[in-house]
Amino acid sequence: MVAVTATLVRSVFAAVLGMFYFGYNTGVVNAPAASIQQFTNLSYHSHYGTYLNKAQQDTIFTIITSAFIVGGMVGAMGGGFVADKIGRKRGLIVSQITGLLGGIVMAISKPVSSWEVLLVGRLVVGLTAGLNTVLVPMYVSEIAPVDLRGGLGVFNQLAVTSGIFLGQILGLSEVLGNEQGWPWLLAIAVIPCVMQLAILMVCPRSPRYLAISLEQVDEARKELMKLRNNDEDMVDKELEEMKAEKEAEQEPEMSILELLSSKNLRVALIICVVMHLSQQFSGMVAIFYYAVNFFESAGISVDNAKYANLGVGSIMVAMTLVTIPLMDRLGRRILHLVGLVGMCIMAILIVIAQNLMPKKGSEESGGSGGFLIAVTLGFVVFFAVGPGSIPWMIAGEMFTQGPRPAASSVVVFVNWAANLAVGLLFPLVLIPELDRFTFLPFAILLAVFSVFVFVFLPETKGKTVGETTLLLQEKGWGARRN
C-alpha cells in the first residue's frame, strides 16, 4: 500500500490551487453582468463624453468575458515551454505572480473608472489560468505514485469545480454579485495566488523533471525522499523506472511543431485531443456559462433558476469527490465511458424536457420544469464521473518526459479553443436556431465520443508512463485490445 505523506498532500494541495483559480475566474463575471455593464457605460461616458447603447454595452461585456479565454489559449500554448525551461514548480510560481497582478488590476478597475483596465485584468487572469491548466496537472502527475496517480489527478477537477461553486455562491446578488460588491468579487482571485505562492515555497520540485530532463538524479532522490516519507525501497524503485524511461525514450524534449510531425506520437496525441474535446463539446460548458438563462428561458422563475444553478455547482463538487477512490479501482476508461454514455442519455432527455415545457407567456412550467432541472442535474452527475476530470490527467499518462510539455500545451489549447467555441455558438447559434432542440447536437457528439473511447482508449490504470507509451507506439489504434 502506497503511503500518502504530508509532503505529498501539501504539494498536491498547493498545485491544485491553480486549478481553483481557473475555476473561480471561469464564470465569475456572469452573475454581476448588469452591474459591470453599467460600470462600462459610465466609464465610457467619463472618457469620451457619450453613453453606450445596449448593443454596445453587450459587445464590450462579451469582449471582457472572452478576454479570459483568449488569455487562457495563449497561456496554454506557452505552458509547455515554461515547464521545459524553468520547471514545473518554478513555472507555477511565475504563473501565480502573474495571476496576483491580474487580480489586482481587475480590482482597481472601478476605483480608476476604466473598463479598459478591467479588460486587461481579465486577459492577464486568463493567461495565468492557461498556464495553470498545463502546469498543474503535469506537476501532480509527476509527483504522484503510480498507484495513486488517478485519484490525485481527480483533485485537478475537484479544484476547478470548487472554484466555480464558490464563484456561484459569492456571485449571488445578496452576496457580492451587485453594484457595490463586484470589484471585491473579482479581487478575491488574488487569495489562491497568495496561498499557492506561500505553500509552494516549501514544496519539492518534480523528481521526474530533475532526473529525466535535467539528469540531476541526486536532487531527484532528495525530493522523492520527501514525497515518499524516506521510504528508500520505493524511492529506488521509482528512480529505476525513471532511468528505464529515459533509456527507452525515443523522443527527446520537443517543440510543438516537432510533436505534431511525429508519427510515433500521433495516436496518443489524437486520443488526448479527442478526450479534451469530449469534455468541452459535451454541453457542460453551456450549462456552466448559461445555466440561469437556460432555466429561465425554459420557463422556470428567476429565483428557482438561480438556485438550480447552485445545484449544478454543488453536485459537481460532491460527485467529483465520489470519483476520487474510484479512479484507481475502476480505471479511466470505464469511468470516462460511463460518463459519456450517461451524458448522452441525459442530453436526449433534456431535449424531451425542453419540448414538454409550456410556451412563453403561458402558465408556469410545473412538473415539466422540475423534470428539466432533474435531467440537467443528472447530466452534471455523469460529467463528474469521468469526462470532468480524466482529460486533465490523460496527457501525463500517455507521454513520456520529453514530449509531455508540448503535448500538454497542444491538448489544453484545444480544450480552451473548444470552450470558446461552445461559449460563442451556444447563445448565438444553438439557442436562436434550434430553440427547444439546443442539446441535440451535444447528444450526437456524445454518442460519437462514446464510440471512439470504447474502440480506441487504452486503460492507463496501474501502468507506468513508459509502458503506456510503448503500447501505443507498438499497437497504434489497436492498443485498447491489450
Side-chain angles (χ1 to χ4, degrees), residues 14-271:
V16 299
L17 282 170
M19 298 299 277
F20 179 92
Y21 182 93
F22 162 53
Y24 181 80
N25 286 290
T26 294
V28 75
V29 298
N30 293 336
S35 297
I36 292 176
Q37 285 182 319
Q38 183 182 8
F39 158 73
T40 58
N41 197 15
L42 294 173
S43 169
Y44 190 89
H45 178 264
S46 69
H47 291 177
Y48 307 108
T50 59
Y51 288 104
L52 299 165
N53 59 38
K54 184 66 170 71
Q56 290 171 325
Q57 290 180 48
D58 289 342
T59 299
I60 289 178
F61 182 74
T62 301
I63 292 171
I64 290 171
T65 303
S66 301
F68 174 74
I69 300 179
V70 172
M73 293 167 69
V74 174
M77 287 303 286
F81 177 82
V82 171
D84 266 338
K85 298 306 176 186
I86 64 175
R88 285 59 163 151
K89 175 185 167 179
R90 290 174 181 171
L92 284 171
I93 291 173
V94 170
S95 179
Q96 298 330 297
I97 293 172
T98 307
L100 186 62
L101 293 174
I104 293 171
V105 170
M106 287 196 303
I108 66 171
S109 59
K110 188 175 182 181
V112 301
S113 187
S114 173
W115 68 266
E116 296 92 342
V117 170
L118 177 59
L119 174 63
V120 171
R122 284 289 289 176
L123 193 63
V124 175
V125 165
L127 175 67
T128 301
L131 287 169
N132 288 347
T133 49
V134 173
L135 294 167
V136 174
M138 197 184 305
Y139 179 73
V140 171
S141 71
E142 291 182 5
I143 65 172
V146 171
D147 294 340
L148 296 178
R149 198 174 56 208
L152 292 178
V154 176
F155 281 92
N156 292 309
Q157 181 64 9
L158 179 62
V160 174
T161 57
S162 298
I164 291 171
F165 187 42
L166 181 63
Q168 290 174 332
I169 294 172
L170 297 180
L172 292 172
S173 57
E174 299 90 340
V175 190
L176 294 176
N178 50 55
E179 186 177 351
Q180 291 74 34
W182 71 262
W184 294 102
L185 182 67
L186 302 185
I188 286 172
V190 305
I191 295 176
C193 293
V194 173
M195 290 177 61
Q196 189 173 28
L197 283 170
I199 303 172
L200 278 174
M201 295 303 175
V202 292
C203 291
R205 298 174 71 185
S206 164
R208 302 188 76 85
Y209 175 72
L210 291 169
I212 301 176
S213 298
L214 301 184
E215 299 184 352
Q216 297 177 3
V217 179
D218 291 339
E219 287 297 316
R221 173 179 286 278
K222 289 178 184 177
E223 303 294 40
L224 268 177
M225 291 294 279
K226 298 175 189 174
L227 288 164
R228 305 296 181 256
N229 202 26
N230 296 316
D231 187 328
E232 292 195 9
D233 290 340
M234 185 180 297
V235 169
D236 288 340
K237 182 179 178 182
E238 289 193 42
L239 286 173
E240 280 299 315
E241 184 261 311
M242 292 178 200
K243 181 181 177 182
E245 179 182 321
K246 181 168 181 61
E247 290 174 350
E249 191 171 38
Q250 299 176 358
E251 308 289 348
E253 180 182 310
M254 52 181 22
S255 67
I256 290 173
L257 289 177
E258 289 170 335
L259 170 70
L260 295 176
S261 61
S262 171
K263 292 182 180 179
N264 288 340
L265 300 175
R266 192 161 296 159
V267 172
L269 184 62
I270 291 173
I271 289 174

